[in-house]
Amino acid sequence: VSASSTETRVLAQRALAGDARALARAISWIENGDAGGRSVIRELGLAAGERSTRARVIGLTGAPGAGKSTITNALVTALRARGERVAVLAVDPSSPFSGGALLGDRVRMQGHAADPGVFIRSMASRGQLGGLAAATPMAIRALDAAGFDVILVETVGVGQAEVEIASAADSTVVVVVPGMGDSIQAAKAGVLEIADVLVVNKADRPETRVTVRDLKNMVALSSAQWKPPVVTTVATTSEGISGLIGELDRHAQWLAESGELDRRRRARARDEVLAMAFGAVRSALTGPLLDTLAGQVADGNLDPHAASEELLASAGCAVPRA
Ligand SMILES: Nc1nc2c(ncn2[C@@H]2O[C@H](COP(=O)(O)OP(=O)(O)O)[C@@H](O)[C@H]2O)c(=O)[nH]1
Ligand SMILES: [Mg+2]
């Protein structure tokens, strides 16, 4: 047994025992794609599989400024009051809980920082293979193994990231703010399709009723088995947060009873394995032979099918001929 694998095992054991610093370090390894990260994942992953109850993974997405961090803070407080251990992953290149955090956020999160039942971590892309899409599910698995009851994943709702995170969550909360423009934007971006619960935050604003009606009308058109409820919140005062938790509990129950939880977790694992395999294949195939074959294809001396077969054969992969 080498020193590094002993170190890995000790780190994993400390993380599993609830040592927040060890857990933070394990997640850094995962995030950086360090060699140690892989064995930590193996150790933690096995432990996660042995747990009788798994963590609930709740994703929060929505436009910047919609109130995701404020809602997350309020949820942490409410879930802690029920005695649940809560982990927060803020997945945002602009690091909402560190450098880019508002003063108010920092003050609130400092309140939770003294609580051993709360773990907060922001994840930023460091340009690794697969980036955040690869690191986030692994970090979720580590937190699950460490015994958290709930994992809240906040992600900034722009572009592809939100869809990736949605596939990593059991329940996805889409946060919008009052105003027709926003809800139409949300619909256009396809976020309504990923929403399990819709939150109209900043319900202290006058356009709230119109937006709620608008969203309810859209939901009513859905033929899905689960129709996302529309919840209003004023996150800054925690108004509506208990209602949100009620709907999340109802969704969790539906997920378990309908078999959808199992289906989602399998789909998530499938995406994760496939993304990792694609990454490995891509790096195995990228090299001088690819450049040579590409040159031949460009010059019209080789057809691309034959080139791809030769490339695959060079890496020991065989594909059935069409
Ligand atoms: N008026 C009002 N302001 C809110 C509410 N929720 C959040 N905010 C404010 O909106 C701003 C953005 O909130 P934040 O949680 O950082 O949004 P995020 O970018 O989605 O994480 C902050 O100044 C919050 O204090 C609310 O319900 N009502
Ligand atoms: Mg935020």
Side-chain angles (χ1 to χ4, degrees):
V1 178
S2 73
S4 72
S5 77
T6 306
E7 194 194 348
T8 300
R9 185 151 306 150
V10 168
L11 187 73
Q13 279 163 359
R14 281 172 48 206
L16 291 172
D19 180 336
R21 277 171 60 195
L23 185 58
R25 200 145 154 248
I27 292 177
S28 293
W29 286 4
I30 290 168
E31 198 176 27
N32 295 335
D34 285 359
R38 187 173 174 159
S39 35
V40 162
I41 291 159
R42 193 168 54 237
E43 303 263 342
L44 294 175
L46 291 173
E50 283 165 11
R51 281 188 66 193
S52 54
T53 57
R54 305 289 297 272
R56 287 167 65 186
V57 183
I58 299 171
L60 292 103
T61 190
K68 298 177 297 297
S69 297
T70 314
I71 292 172
T72 299
N73 284 320
L75 285 174
V76 170
T77 304
L79 292 166
R80 286 302 290 143
R82 302 207 297 202
E84 294 182 49
R85 292 183 65 214
V86 188
V88 177
L89 275 184
V91 182
D92 183 349
S94 67
S95 282
F97 287 118
S98 52
L102 296 163
L103 181 62
D105 268 353
R106 277 209 295 273
V107 170
R108 274 192 297 272
M109 294 325 282
Q110 273 167 9
H112 293 306
D115 180 350
V118 179
F119 179 88
I120 294 153
R121 172 63 183 236
S122 77
M123 304 267 293
S125 178
R126 304 216 174 138
Q128 302 309 314
L129 200 68
L132 284 174
T136 303
M138 289 191 263
I140 288 172
R141 180 151 327 107
L143 294 167
D144 187 9
F148 288 96
D149 299 301
V150 182
I151 302 169
L152 301 171
V153 185
E154 176 190 335
T155 182
V156 64
V158 282
Q160 270 297 99
E162 74 203 15
V163 180
E164 283 165 2
I165 303 310
S167 74
D170 299 325
S171 304
T172 298
V173 177
V174 173
V175 183
V176 299
V177 294
M180 283 292 276
D182 277 73
S183 53
I184 288 167
Q185 279 312 110
K188 274 190 186 151
V191 286
L192 290 183
E193 284 160 41
I194 62 164
D196 296 307
V197 178
L198 279 159
V199 170
V200 180
N201 186 43
K202 309 200 182 181
D204 47 335
R205 286 196 187 167
E207 310 94 321
T208 303
R209 274 175 55 193
V210 177
T211 301
V212 168
R213 191 193 58 201
D214 187 29
L215 290 171
K216 282 187 173 167
N217 286 340
M218 278 193 232
V219 168
L221 298 173
S222 157
S223 59
Q225 228 191 318
W226 171 266
K227 294 206 200 306
V230 181
V231 178
T232 55
T233 57
V234 182
T236 39
T237 62
S238 290
E239 200 182 313
I241 294 298
S242 62
L244 172 56
I245 288 185
E247 292 297 354
L248 285 167
D249 287 346
R250 202 165 65 80
H251 187 246
Q253 198 178 343
W254 176 80
L255 283 174
E257 287 169 2
S258 64
E260 177 70 6
L261 182 65
D262 196 45
R263 202 196 62 75
R264 285 189 185 191
R265 288 184 169 180
R266 275 165 200 273
R268 187 196 306 173
R270 187 178 180 278
D271 288 349
E272 198 181 346
V273 171
L274 205 53
M276 232 169 245
F278 280 160
V281 168
R282 174 176 277 272
S283 64
L285 298 183
T286 306
L289 179 61
L290 173 61
D291 295 336
T292 305
L293 292 168
Q296 289 172 359
V297 171
D299 293 343
N301 297 324
L302 189 66
D303 76 272
H305 283 107
S308 73
E309 278 165 18
E310 190 175 336
L311 188 63
L312 286 166
S314 78
C317 306
V319 280
R321 283 188 172 273

